Amino acid sequence: MDRDRTEADVKTFFHDFKEFAMRGNAIDMAVGIVIGTAFGAIAKSLVADVIMPPLGLLLGGTDFSKYYIVLKQGTPPGPYPTFKAAQSAHAVTLNYGVFIGTVITFIVIALAIFTLLRQINKLKRKPQDVPASPTTKDCPHCCTSIPVKASRCPACTSELAAE
């Protein structure tokens, strides 16, 4: 009996998993993650290869990825002429230049996503409703609400001027 129950539990598990995986939300999320990862790589390249070189040039030819502080000397002890030399000596470094590049990458990605979502929301917005022309009017004699096309008030039988 336990074997039959275990097989039924496994079948139920896989059936539930199949329903979960084939739901539109799960597939949409998976596609979003894949596209987001690819977009992140593009944004990282944009920052590292397009934005940072001119920014570094404007700041006197500096490369932000080379900015670091040695927290603990490696072997052999520093000073290290480059970040790679510090890494190869196993020095402990605080890489604030890399952090600056990562922050700029984040800002570029956030700006791109904000712009994209803003455009999508503009497309989704409904046009402002134009106020409909009135379908009723008030009788000037008895103040009863009557259809606009009426020529006589049904309440007081007054003749109404055509509008």
Side-chain angles (χ1 to χ4, degrees):
M1 276 245 175
D2 287 335
R3 180 182 167 105
D4 292 337
R5 177 142 173 89
T6 305
E7 286 178 15
D9 288 343
V10 169
K11 286 181 182 179
T12 302
F13 173 80
F14 283 114
H15 175 74
D16 292 346
F17 179 73
K18 178 182 169 187
E19 282 183 11
F20 167 76
M22 291 304 167
R23 242 189 263 157
N25 295 347
I27 293 171
D28 291 345
M29 185 177 67
V31 169
I33 289 170
V34 170
I35 290 174
T37 302
F39 183 76
I42 291 170
K44 185 175 182 180
S45 175
L46 174 69
V47 170
D49 303 327
V50 177
I51 294 174
M52 294 306 275
L55 185 61
L57 189 63
L58 288 173
L59 297 174
T62 56
D63 179 7
F64 284 103
S65 66
K66 294 181 181 178
Y67 287 149
Y68 65 95
I69 297 171
V70 177
L71 299 175
K72 182 180 176 197
Q73 295 290 329
T75 49
Y80 305 105
T82 64
F83 171 67
K84 292 199 183 272
Q87 274 186 326
S88 63
H90 301 287
V92 178
T93 59
L94 180 71
N95 308 318
Y96 66 92
V98 174
F99 177 73
I100 291 170
T102 303
V103 168
I104 292 173
T105 302
F106 170 77
I107 291 170
V108 168
I109 291 172
L111 183 64
I113 290 173
F114 169 75
T115 305
L116 177 70
L117 290 178
R118 188 169 183 208
Q119 293 304 315
I120 289 171
N121 287 337
K122 279 184 182 178
L123 293 174
K124 283 184 177 180
R125 283 189 196 131
K126 295 179 183 174
Q128 295 297 326
D129 292 332
V130 177
S133 51
T135 58
T136 61
K137 62 182 177 180
D138 289 338
C139 173
H141 304 286
C142 68
C143 297
T144 301
S145 181
I146 56 174
V148 171
K149 294 183 179 180
S151 59
R152 190 176 289 271
C153 177
C156 68
T157 67
S158 298
E159 260 191 62
L160 304 170
E163 292 182 16

